[in-house]
Amino acid sequence: MSSLTKVTPRDRVYNASLLELKWRGLWNSVTRGNPWAYVAAAVFVGAVVYGEWIGVFRALEYVCNAGRTFLDAKASCSIVGRSISSRVLESGLLVLAAGVTFSAITTAISTLYASDDLNFLLAQPIPAARVFAVKLLDTYLSAAGVPSVLTIPPLLAIGAFFGAAWWYYPLAMLAALITYALPVALGSSIAIFLMRFAPAGRVREVATGLGVVMSASLVYLIRAARPEELLRQLGQSDSDAAINKLLEALGAPSNPLLPSSWASDFIWTAARGDLNLSILLLTGTAAMMMLIAGWLASRAYLEGWVRGLESSRVKLDPRPRRASSMETALGRFGAAGHLVMKDARLLFRDATQWSQLLILVALGGVYVVSVRAFPIPLDSDQSLILRNALGFMTLAFQGFVIAGVGVRMAFPSVSSEGYGYWLLRTSPISTANIVLAKFWGALPATLILALCLGYFSASSLNLSPVITLSSVLVAFSSAFAITALGVGVGAAVPRFKSDNPAEIAFSAGGLIYMVLALFYSGLLVVIVARPAYLSVINPNAYPGLSYFATLEGIVVLGVLALVTVLGTLLPLWFGWTRLDRFE
Amino acid sequence: MPKWVWHKLYGAVGARLDGMIEVVNFTKRFGRVAAVNDVSLTVKPGEVFGLLGPNGAGKTTTIRGMTGLTRPTSGTVRVAGFDVWREPVKAKGAFGYIPDRPYLYGKLTARELLRFIAGLHKLPKADSEIERWLEFFGLTDFSNELIETYSHGMKQKLTIISAMLPEPPVLIVDEPMVGLDPRAAKQARELLSDYAKKGKTVLLTTHSLPVAEAVAHRIAVLDRGHVLAEGTLEELQRRTSEERSGVEGNTLERIFFKLVEEEELERQRVKDAA
Ligand SMILES: Nc1ncnc2c1ncn2[C@@H]1O[C@H](COP(=O)(O)OP(=O)(O)O)[C@@H](O)[C@H]1O
Ligand SMILES: [Mg+2]
């Protein structure tokens, strides 16, 4: 009997699915990760979602009640409010789409052409088109993943506010996702084209240049929408003539040719129950872009990849090149100085790296322009209070901007050693020195940005001396501590083996860093809240900077200094002791 | 006597007496699997020591333990008298390491990389030495090109230069000949032998019997994380021919297979007894 029941082992035929392969890799790394990191990540995501939800809901309540006395009181939202909210939604989608566009081309090049697994995948008996499809998904996730996630809670809040029908939710999300998918498809098409035809070795530079031009034009379009102009008019809307003018200006979307306008148009009307046909335009365009990208890929993906492996050697120059004066100068600081020099070289030779600096400049630019353009009624006591209150708010916001920059500049600085880390690890340089060198290397970028933000927002708002000084001090403090946090947490949970550098920033450690950085910004705000409050409420009690000569002022400065020193040293110390134990 | 004085003395004198590399009861587990199990080795100045074993024997793991890339589960490792986990900077200043896979900064040129190494080791006046080394391996023509354009062998040569540029008293080499063309392999062999002749200490791993036979003064045969035998080539020959008659072992290859075979039989005996 037993011979009958014995089953001949038959080998299962494995039907290779690339998606399943990816999913398995992700699952393996999630199940083997640190559970605390996931708790922190969940808390952070939860806080962001909750914050967005509450913020959008409150904003809608506020805006919808504005101007209600003058116009249709019966409607669920005043016309003015509706117009303003839709314009804000449009600008928001446009800003995020601009961000996606900026990174789409370079991200597409790194995922489509420079991922480590391509050597393996393209040598397998799998059609290149399928590899391309998976890599396109990768590109979408790394270029547009975060904007997509950030957009979903506000869409839900809008739907809930207006009591939208069930079909609003899937369609609104689809519209937002397509809005980000478009720049990704466009970026990938351009990447394929460049890799196939651009001068070899210059592809990344050309791509970055294109990314800058494209996102700069998008930023220009944002400025053209001028959302703050609407707010200003809202503030003065005390005559029928002004309101009529306003409604006229609001009648049409500001950029009728942009997909983000179609999306916001659709979302806005759908929330209130009307199915708008602009979604067809949107999906149609997206489908067409995908077809174009697919067609280009089928013609040029494999060839371009092969071509990308060949270097552009023009003529060898064997003459000895000695150290530059910069290298000699940094070398005076010992091993750490040499490390900073090495990192600077790597940064400026890698387009995907230095393009991060351009993002930083663009971010600062948008920030400063927006603060400047903020509508403030001039010359009155009221305006002084308003300006100072606003200055205090921008001060809180600065920390957020610096944290956002740090997650790209400071956090990956140890992990970016990658597979080459063995060299530092076996060299006579202490981990403390390594971490410190990474800190000094990242500090200039964040410090300059922080000081520019602090100075420009203070000067353009014409703030009181106390708030101006607080703003500069907070800029200093957050640049030091948030950079240290980035480098320290990044050193504590290094990822030397990532296929794609962009994923370092979006790891669980990156989220922990964001939580801590935002917490630190909050702490700073609490510390300077008292002087700011005093100078807003009673500007004449302490003229000039005399507040900081009082005992209270000195205590505030002392606490600020202490928090800065601890906030800088503790994360760095934590980072190097953890990195020391890393193997 | 304060601990550091003792360490200083030990670093200066003790290492001379006991050996420049001392591995004492080194064990490394990955989860429940012991990749290296209770390995002890001593390598003296002027000696080329070969760690020989098949793929997966634990050679790389042992070396990573010496260089501070892996923390021992138990046991200690000292280089020039310094424990690499207790006094990492001193220990790392005393050895040069050539890994099996030459990952280097792709966006630096060879010269920039070597100047960076010189900076990390605080070498004065390294420029002429760098030129000499580039010339030695025929890399001068490519010395201003980015490393990412180099072939595997060129990168391997560059890691050899990186390790030897600071002239460390100890050189730790993982599979030195893999990826080198025959001429470069010969160069590398001679380089290692000459380095030991200058009174320095060289430890190399290899799965290649001819390489071990050609350069190593003493050899340890490693299999599945255990040292099966250790000694000079003659000692190993004597041991294997004494213990069992039959095939007369004189080449290292014979010795090697014989040792592995003995181990296999022993394992079988233990299994049958249980
Ligand atoms: N990081 C690691 N995690 C788990 N197992 C490992 C790791 N590194 C090595 N091993 C295992 O240890 C054993 C010895 O590996 P290795 O030292 O690389 O061998 P060798 O260099 O002699 O070929 C192998 O079985 C390998 O699978
Ligand atoms: Mg090995």
Side-chain angles (χ1 to χ4, degrees):
Chain A
M1 279 306 283
S2 68
S3 67
L4 284 179
T5 49
K6 208 163 114 190
V7 180
T8 4
R10 185 136 41 96
D11 286 341
R12 194 179 139 200
V13 177
Y14 287 97
N15 197 351
S17 151
L18 292 181
L19 270 181
E20 195 185 316
L21 193 71
K22 277 215 90 66
W23 174 246
R24 180 133 315 176
L26 187 69
W27 177 250
N28 282 344
S29 61
V30 166
T31 47
R32 281 160 213 198
N34 183 350
W36 288 109
Y38 293 107
V39 172
V43 168
F44 177 69
V45 171
V48 169
V49 168
Y50 183 74
E52 280 196 57
W53 171 278
I54 291 292
V56 170
F57 217 91
R58 287 279 152 76
L60 281 173
E61 260 171 13
Y62 173 77
V63 154
C64 279
N65 288 323
R68 169 154 287 181
T69 44
F70 308 103
L71 289 156
D72 47 352
K74 275 163 280 155
S76 64
C77 185
S78 68
I79 294 180
V80 179
R82 244 182 282 159
S83 313
I84 289 174
S85 329
S86 75
R87 190 63 69 84
V88 168
L89 177 67
E90 186 191 326
S91 310
L93 284 176
L94 190 56
V95 170
L96 290 174
V100 175
T101 310
F102 182 87
S103 55
I105 306 178
T106 45
T107 311
I109 290 181
S110 16
T111 50
L112 287 174
Y113 291 98
S115 310
D116 287 340
D117 53 356
L118 280 174
N119 267 320
F120 167 74
L121 287 179
L122 287 175
Q124 301 302 308
I126 305 170
R130 276 175 62 195
V131 177
F132 174 75
V134 169
K135 287 288 150 190
L136 196 61
L137 185 67
D138 264 2
T139 312
Y140 181 87
L141 289 180
S142 40
V146 171
S148 305
V149 170
L150 283 181
T151 311
I152 289 173
L155 293 184
L156 298 183
I158 290 173
F161 183 83
F162 290 107
W166 66 268
W167 51 262
Y168 161 83
Y169 297 94
L171 285 182
M173 275 184 239
L174 181 73
L177 296 194
I178 290 178
T179 311
Y180 304 134
L182 271 169
V184 170
L186 184 67
S188 305
S189 304
I190 294 175
I192 295 169
F193 189 81
L194 286 180
M195 288 302 282
R196 185 67 189 80
F197 300 109
R202 290 263 84 89
V203 172
R204 276 160 191 274
E205 280 72 13
V206 175
T208 312
L210 270 176
V212 173
V213 169
M214 283 167 57
S215 46
S217 22
L218 283 177
V219 170
Y220 178 79
L221 290 173
I222 296 168
R223 297 309 313 150
R226 283 187 299 171
E228 76 282 350
E229 186 65 21
L230 302 175
L231 275 179
R232 185 203 301 278
Q233 296 192 13
L234 180 67
Q236 300 167 340
S237 59
D238 47 4
S239 74
D240 281 358
I243 288 178
N244 285 338
K245 219 174 101 202
L246 180 61
L247 291 180
E248 201 176 300
L250 292 175
S254 50
N255 297 296
L257 292 180
L258 278 185
S260 54
S261 305
W262 308 336
S264 71
D265 197 21
F266 170 77
I267 290 168
W268 197 249
T269 46
R272 285 170 302 123
D274 297 329
L275 195 54
N276 187 313
L277 286 186
S278 54
I279 185 120
L280 288 182
L281 194 58
L282 194 62
T283 31
T285 313
M288 210 165 71
M289 273 314 305
M290 285 294 171
L291 278 181
I292 292 176
W295 179 78
L296 269 173
S298 70
R299 317 225 71 181
Y301 181 44
L302 205 53
E303 290 86 337
W305 183 69
V306 172
R307 191 167 173 266
L309 296 179
E310 292 155 9
S311 102
S312 58
R313 180 166 297 141
V314 188
K315 194 157 178 246
L316 297 178
D317 170 20
R319 275 171 303 168
R321 289 190 198 152
R322 294 290 153 86
S324 61
S325 50
M326 170 102 164
E327 188 176 333
T328 318
L330 278 172
R332 284 192 225 296
F333 294 96
H338 285 279
L339 189 49
V340 171
M341 181 68 211
K342 186 270 299 176
D343 282 339
R345 278 212 168 99
L346 296 190
L347 174 72
F348 286 106
R349 280 184 194 165
D350 188 346
T352 51
Q353 295 283 317
W354 58 255
S355 59
Q356 314 269 338
L357 284 176
L358 291 176
I359 294 184
L360 199 150
V361 172
L363 209 67
V366 170
Y367 181 88
V368 168
V369 169
S370 306
V371 169
R372 284 217 159 153
F374 219 84
I376 294 162
L378 292 170
D379 53 64
S380 70
D381 266 6
Q382 285 285 314
S383 99
L384 187 69
I385 292 178
L386 184 63
R387 269 187 283 134
N388 280 329
L390 198 64
F392 183 62
M393 268 163 55
T394 60
L395 186 147
F397 194 66
Q398 269 170 36
F400 194 83
V401 174
I402 294 167
V405 171
V407 82
R408 290 299 187 104
M409 299 292 301
F411 180 73
S413 62
V414 169
S415 296
S416 67
E417 287 289 324
Y419 287 102
Y421 181 61
W422 67 270
L423 185 62
L424 281 185
R425 184 80 192 191
T426 58
S427 290
I429 175 172
S430 63
T431 15
N433 244 337
I434 295 175
V435 171
L436 284 174
K438 297 291 181 183
F439 172 71
W440 291 117
L443 188 65
T446 45
L447 187 59
I448 289 172
L449 177 79
L451 290 179
C452 284
L453 293 186
Y455 173 76
F456 278 118
S457 49
S459 74
S460 56
L461 288 174
N462 198 9
L463 300 177
S464 76
V466 167
I467 295 198
T468 306
L469 184 65
S470 305
S471 175
V472 171
L473 289 179
V474 163
F476 248 108
S477 175
S478 44
F480 270 84
I482 291 178
T483 309
L485 255 178
V487 174
V489 177
V493 285
R495 290 175 49 131
F496 295 119
K497 292 177 185 164
S498 53
D499 288 342
N500 176 359
E503 78 192 29
I504 294 172
F506 301 119
S507 60
L511 290 174
I512 293 179
Y513 154 73
M514 285 300 275
V515 174
L516 292 174
L518 295 184
F519 178 78
Y520 187 81
S521 317
L523 190 65
L524 289 184
V525 168
V526 171
I527 292 172
V528 296
R530 170 98 184 140
Y533 174 77
L534 286 180
S535 73
V536 167
I537 291 308
N538 191 357
N540 303 321
Y542 298 103
L545 286 173
S546 62
Y547 170 79
F548 286 117
T550 64
L551 181 63
E552 193 183 294
I554 291 168
V555 169
V556 166
L557 287 181
V559 169
L560 192 62
L562 185 71
V563 163
T564 309
V565 170
L566 288 182
T568 308
L569 292 184
L570 282 181
L572 290 177
W573 173 82
F574 175 69
W576 80 60
T577 46
R578 284 296 301 262
L579 184 62
D580 216 13
R581 272 183 267 151
F582 180 82
E583 52 177 277
Chain B
M1 191 157 51
K3 204 169 166 191
W4 67 267
V5 175
W6 199 84
H7 272 293
K8 272 258 154 57
L9 284 175
Y10 191 83
V13 185
R16 291 284 133 194
L17 299 177
D18 302 0
M20 287 299 273
I21 301 176
E22 280 183 87
V23 178
V24 185
N25 305 121
F26 174 71
T27 297
K28 178 67 191 182
R29 274 180 229 286
F30 294 108
R32 292 174 57 204
V33 189
V36 178
N37 203 345
D38 198 21
V39 164
S40 299
L41 303 167
T42 302
V43 188
K44 296 194 177 65
E47 194 172 53
V48 178
F49 189 93
L51 202 53
L52 178 72
N55 295 330
K59 305 181 295 293
T60 298
T61 307
T62 309
I63 281 211
R64 288 171 66 86
M66 291 175 191
T67 50
L69 291 166
T70 268
R71 187 186 281 275
T73 309
S74 65
T76 52
V77 174
R78 274 191 295 270
V79 176
F82 303 114
D83 185 318
V84 73
W85 285 96
R86 295 241 172 79
E87 295 172 279
V89 177
K90 281 182 188 154
K92 288 166 187 179
F95 68 74
Y97 168 53
I98 305 174
D100 49 351
R101 275 172 289 178
Y103 285 111
L104 295 167
Y105 303 110
K107 297 279 180 197
L108 292 186
T109 69
R111 274 207 187 84
E112 287 163 355
L113 175 78
L114 293 175
R115 281 206 306 271
F116 174 57
I117 305 270
L120 290 180
H121 285 263
K122 305 193 174 67
L123 307 179
K125 306 257 171 293
D127 280 327
S128 56
E129 272 299 285
I130 290 175
E131 296 311 318
R132 196 178 66 73
W133 274 111
L134 290 172
E135 193 63 49
F136 178 80
F137 273 122
L139 290 176
T140 312
D141 281 349
F142 304 92
S143 54
N144 293 325
E145 297 293 312
L146 296 186
I147 295 170
E148 66 186 4
T149 67
Y150 285 21
S151 73
H152 182 86
M154 287 160 78
K155 286 184 196 160
Q156 191 75 350
K157 290 174 185 171
L158 201 51
T159 52
I160 296 179
I161 304 179
S162 311
M164 297 187 70
L165 182 68
E167 287 217 43
V170 175
L171 201 57
I172 300 176
V173 192
D174 201 356
E175 306 277 0
M177 310 309 166
V178 175
L180 293 182
D181 59 50
R183 180 167 164 269
K186 180 162 172 287
Q187 262 182 317
R189 262 200 314 269
E190 288 167 4
L191 206 58
L192 297 179
S193 295
D194 291 348
Y195 204 60
K197 282 196 193 111
K198 284 200 272 181
K200 315 269 187 180
T201 310
V202 179
L203 180 140
L204 62 88
T205 72
T206 181
H207 62 265
S208 153
L209 300 154
V211 169
E213 213 168 306
V215 287
H217 302 130
R218 279 199 309 137
I219 293 165
V221 179
L222 199 66
D223 184 41
R224 286 175 252 208
H226 294 274
V227 176
L228 301 187
E230 192 207 311
T232 61
L233 191 54
E234 294 83 56
E235 283 165 1
L236 292 180
Q237 278 165 355
R238 217 173 309 132
R239 197 196 126 176
T240 42
S241 52
E242 268 166 19
E243 276 179 8
R244 281 153 53 83
S245 53
V247 249
E248 277 309 305
N250 26 24
T251 68
L252 194 46
E253 188 163 355
R254 286 266 175 90
I255 298 168
F256 181 80
F257 285 122
K258 214 153 170 188
L259 285 168
V260 173
E261 189 182 306
E262 276 172 23
E263 169 79 6
E264 202 58 55
L265 283 173
E266 180 64 32
R267 209 183 292 267
Q268 197 59 44
R269 255 201 303 278
V270 171
K271 215 170 166 185
D272 290 346

